């Protein structure tokens, strides 16, 4: 995952949480702790650029409903009953699942107990971007309160934990944040130099309604309000016009492509082939396990690689290598981590060890490694995971979290909600 070809036989030296070097030769001298990964693959930790860990307990709830009905009749009413304990159980489960399938960095947009999420990130040893999702369909006072809370979150947590944690400002979406509220948020972001994240043009319906109300496309509208002037990441971008795509390309905006969630909610398929042609920086995200229903980036890579071939009737639409870069390197940049998503000297030592011995990945000649990673491997093939040089998963076991407790608490929290 450097610019060149994979290093076939060699070793990587980790020191003080960073990659000190990668060498294509026999180990001459051993120093410190030695991890033997002979016969296995070492890949960069995945960066999951869009999700909502707080809704993990809603996995499988209200399946097969349209997005609007699903949000209004299932998600939001259930979420109103969430306690601090519920979100802790949900976020811990999400972190555990992500870690075990090779994700070392994630973005979390949620509106409840984000301080607790920050603490869980630090406990787990992962990297995470906190976004206090703001829905503006409320009074001016409540809007101001939500924005204040978001800025507080930034002041408290941004770059904490030796840079593991970052914070972005996150208006939920143009259809839930009226333009004047959106403008307030953008102003705050620029005032403090905070990056912005939002859902954008996920469904055709929301785009049509936006055009009906404001006479312009949502991305053009956001652009007028200044949304793309600083560092910006949008989720979905399924129904962006050609003009909007060119606009995002010019602004250097990142797009978090969430193919599985878009398919499951029947939202459509983002035009990643065109995004690629316009040199837009696309990264991958799972969205929440309520609309996915897993947080496994291997699955996300597979969907992202296959749907664009099918929809475009063109097997060259995206390559396996493109997809790997989206899942790691582009994601790192999108989340403002300068040194993540690559195995390269000077980069953060965020990586996974993948077991290639499964029948689903045989035969495995060297030149098929990248192909297998995208088209054949599964999250459960990950055996060991490191973030910032620290081992977080060993032989498929979580080292920093108690998996038994996570499983028990997840079931218990849902049972309590139902009671
Ligand atoms: Zn989302």
């Amino acid at each position: 995952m450097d610019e060149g070809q994979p290093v076939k036989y060699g070793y990587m030296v980790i020191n003080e949480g960073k990659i000190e070097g990668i060498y294509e030769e026999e180990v001459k001298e051993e120093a410190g702790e030695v991890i033997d990964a002979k016969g296995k693959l070492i890949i960069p930790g995945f960066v999951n650029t869009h999700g909502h860990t707080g809704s993990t307990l809603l996995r499988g709830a209200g399946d097969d409903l349209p997005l609007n009905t699903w949000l209004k009749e299932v998600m939001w009413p259930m979420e109103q009953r969430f306690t601090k304990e519920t979100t802790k159980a949900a976020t811990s489960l999400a972190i555990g699942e992500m870690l075990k399938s090779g994700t070392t960095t994630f973005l979390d947009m949620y509106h409840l107990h984000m301080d607790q999420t920050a603490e869980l990130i630090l406990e787990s040893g992962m990297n995470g971007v906190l976004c206090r999702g703001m829905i503006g369909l409320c009074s001016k006072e409540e809007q101001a309160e939500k924005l204040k809370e978001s800025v507080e979150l930034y002041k408290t947590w941004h770059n904490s934990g030796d840079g593991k944690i970052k914070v972005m400002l996150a208006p939920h979406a143009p259809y839930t944040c009226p333009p004047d509220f959106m403008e307030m948020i953008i102003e705050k972001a620029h005032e403090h130099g905070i990056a912005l994240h939002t859902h954008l043009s996920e469904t055709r319906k929301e785009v049509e309604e936006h055009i009906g109300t404001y006479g312009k496309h949502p991305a053009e509208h956001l652009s007028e309000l200044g949304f793309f002037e600083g560092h910006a990441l949008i989720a979905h971008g399924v129904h962006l016009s050609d003009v909007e795509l060119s606009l995002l390309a010019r602004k250097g905006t990142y797009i978090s492509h969430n193919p599985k969630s878009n398919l499951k909610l029947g939202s459509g398929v983002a035009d990643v082939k065109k995004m690629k042609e316009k040199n837009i920086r696309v990264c991958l995200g799972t969205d929440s396990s309520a609309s996915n229903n897993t947080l496994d980036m291997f699955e996300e890579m597979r969907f992202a690689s296959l749907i664009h071939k099918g929809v475009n009737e063109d097997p060259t639409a995206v390559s396996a290598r493109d997809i790997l870069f989206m899942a790691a390197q582009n994601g790192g940049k999108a989340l403002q981590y300068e040194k993540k998503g690559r195995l390269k000297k000077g980069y953060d030592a965020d990586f996974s060890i993948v077991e290639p011995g499964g029948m689903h990945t045989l035969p495995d000649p060297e030149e098929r490694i990248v192909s297998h990673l995208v088209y054949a491997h599964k999250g459960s093939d990950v055996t060991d995971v490191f973030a910032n040089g620290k081992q977080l998963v060993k032989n498929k076991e979580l080292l920093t979290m108690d998996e038994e407790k996570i499983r028990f608490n997840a079931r218990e929290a849902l049972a309590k909600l139902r009671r």
Side-chain angles (χ1 to χ4, degrees), residues 198-266:
T198 194
H199 294 102
L200 184 64
S201 301
E202 180 175 2
T203 63
R204 189 178 301 280
K205 183 171 173 281
E206 91 193 45
V207 172
E208 281 168 359
E209 283 177 3
H210 198 96
I211 297 170
T213 311
Y214 304 106
K216 46 194 129 188
H217 285 256
E220 293 178 70
H221 197 174
L222 281 190
S223 181
E224 278 175 30
L225 300 175
F227 193 92
F228 307 112
E229 294 315 309
H231 187 103
L233 166 69
I234 63 126
H236 307 306
V238 176
H239 298 280
L240 293 168
S241 69
D242 220 39
V243 173
E244 290 178 298
L245 284 175
S246 298
L247 169 82
L248 297 185
R250 265 199 322 277
K251 299 288 182 187
T253 305
Y254 290 88
I255 299 182
S256 175
H257 177 40
N258 297 189
K260 273 184 79 193
S261 174
N262 297 155
L263 286 173
K264 181 157 187 268
L265 294 170

Side-chain angles (χ1 to χ4, degrees), residues 334-352:
L335 301 191
Q336 291 187 299
Y337 292 97
E338 284 310 312
K339 300 281 181 193
K340 291 200 188 295
R342 283 174 88 162
L343 299 180
K344 192 182 177 184
K345 184 178 177 181
Y347 270 60
D348 297 337
D350 292 10
F351 61 96
S352 301

Side-chain angles (χ1 to χ4, degrees), residues 50-52 109 172 199 202 235-236 258 261 287-288 291:
H50 182 73
H52 312 273
M109 187 203 277
H172 173 264
H199 294 102
E202 180 175 2
H236 307 306
N258 297 189
S261 174
D287 215 349
S288 87
S291 69

